[in-house]
Amino acid sequence: MDKEIIINTHKKVGLALGSGGVRGLAHIGVIRTLLQHHIPINCISGSSIGAWIGAHYSLYTDIKKTEEYTTGKKKEKLYSFLEPTISGGLVKGQKIELMLDQWLDGSSFDDLKIPLKVAATDFLNGSKVSFDQGKLSTILHASMAVPGIFKPVIIDDKVLIDGGVSNPVPVDLAQELGADIVIAVNLDYYAGFNKISQKSISYGNVADGAVRIMRHYLALSACQNADFIIQPDLQRFSSWTSYFSKNNNNDEIIRLAAEETEKIIPALKDLLQDE
């Protein structure tokens, strides 16, 4: 690996971490690879799982710790889901918020070492919402409130749901933080189903495939102003069941993302060094 340390005080690098459920483990591979190449991360924006990883890394700037809390702590995560409701979702979410608050030491945006913006969606009017102030656990809870699973989060006059619904790769928020170079991490890249033929089409794969195609184009639209787009082929990784199993794909997701990140490193270094 190139041992040259890049120090550039003139160009601010922003990282836009996309939504994507269990595929969000890819963000670990991206950040780790950038750090290995001494690429500065001056600001971060995140949506849903990207918001969680962005917040944790922005607070501690310790990718090993962020990986530990993202890939591990499975008993605590399962316990936090045991809070059923029928009001706007299946899971109330207060236990999840408490867990996040403990993991983040009760921190707010003011405590972050790296500037962060978090995406959410206002269910009442469908608008994009962003946060750069307030208690991290509450804002992350809102950004990760997957419709149909988690009850929406009410903050002031807003009824908030998952940021991925309106802004799955928040490139715009990284730009608002002043990034000169934005690296987008798109977890919704869709290349079709190579195991489905005309004869094997079913209700299930049509319904699932249609949602994936919609997410694919929404994410591409969100990425259009990024300088670099990292989009590993992760479409076969979508189940949280596999995440919680002993034979999970965590390492493979991280590896695939690291490999895709390596592809942009030469051009990224050239851009950083170009005055």
Side-chain angles (χ1 to χ4, degrees):
M1 187 186 71
D2 186 358
K3 294 182 179 180
E4 175 190 8
I5 297 178
I6 293 177
I7 300 176
N8 190 302
T9 57
H10 302 293
K11 293 181 181 178
K12 190 173 180 180
V13 177
L15 196 55
L17 303 178
S19 61
V22 69
R23 297 190 298 276
L25 298 173
H27 296 318
I28 300 296
V30 172
I31 296 174
R32 181 195 292 165
T33 304
L34 293 175
L35 294 175
Q36 287 171 346
H37 286 279
H38 310 291
I39 303 297
I41 300 174
N42 303 112
C43 60
I44 299 176
S45 62
S47 185
S48 198
I49 186 69
W52 151 254
I53 293 176
H56 193 277
Y57 181 72
S58 294
L59 180 65
Y60 297 110
T61 59
D62 182 343
I63 191 57
K64 289 184 179 179
K65 184 171 184 175
T66 301
E67 180 177 357
E68 174 191 350
Y69 277 74
T70 303
T71 62
K73 306 288 183 181
K74 294 180 180 180
K75 288 184 179 179
E76 294 96 321
K77 292 171 185 174
L78 282 172
Y79 174 75
S80 71
F81 278 80
L82 302 178
E83 193 180 24
T85 182
I86 56 173
S87 176
L90 300 176
V91 180
K92 189 178 295 184
Q94 292 305 307
K95 287 185 178 180
I96 292 173
E97 186 170 323
L98 178 61
M99 177 184 70
L100 292 172
D101 199 47
Q102 292 172 342
W103 290 355
L104 295 166
D105 292 331
S107 300
S108 69
F109 281 83
D110 292 336
D111 300 307
L112 297 176
K113 298 184 178 79
I114 299 173
L116 173 75
K117 277 202 171 190
V118 169
T121 305
D122 189 342
F123 178 72
L124 295 184
N125 59 24
S127 64
K128 297 179 181 180
V129 179
S130 66
F131 293 92
D132 57 8
Q133 295 181 15
K135 196 168 187 178
L136 286 171
S137 57
T138 301
I139 303 306
L140 295 182
H141 178 194
S143 185
M144 296 191 289
V146 179
I149 305 294
F150 300 107
K151 182 178 178 179
V153 178
I154 297 176
I155 299 178
D156 298 327
D157 60 342
K158 296 179 175 61
V159 178
L160 299 168
I161 59 174
D162 195 294
V165 172
S166 62
N167 199 0
V169 193
V171 169
D172 56 336
L173 301 188
Q175 292 172 325
E176 289 176 11
L177 286 168
D180 301 301
I181 300 170
V182 179
I183 304 168
V185 187
N186 175 18
L187 306 182
D188 285 313
Y189 174 71
Y190 176 84
F193 293 108
N194 57 17
K195 293 183 180 180
I196 296 177
S197 67
Q198 291 183 8
K199 295 181 179 179
S200 65
I201 291 175
S202 67
Y203 170 81
N205 57 41
V206 169
D208 176 65
V211 171
R212 294 193 188 197
I213 292 168
M214 285 190 290
R215 289 189 60 88
H216 170 83
Y217 284 106
L218 177 60
L220 283 183
S221 177
C223 289
Q224 63 182 345
N225 291 322
D227 297 279
F228 298 93
I229 304 174
I230 298 169
Q231 45 187 19
D233 185 356
L234 302 175
Q235 59 187 345
R236 64 188 183 279
F237 306 110
S238 60
S239 172
W240 281 104
T241 302
S242 63
Y243 166 83
F244 285 107
S245 70
K246 291 183 179 180
N247 299 317
N248 59 61
N249 304 113
N250 299 350
D251 290 341
E252 187 176 3
I253 293 173
I254 293 171
R255 177 184 62 79
L256 289 170
E259 289 176 356
E260 288 300 308
T261 307
E262 287 286 352
K263 294 177 182 180
I264 74 163
I265 294 299
L268 176 56
K269 287 184 175 182
D270 286 345
L271 190 58
L272 279 167
Q273 293 170 333
D274 181 24
E275 293 296 333

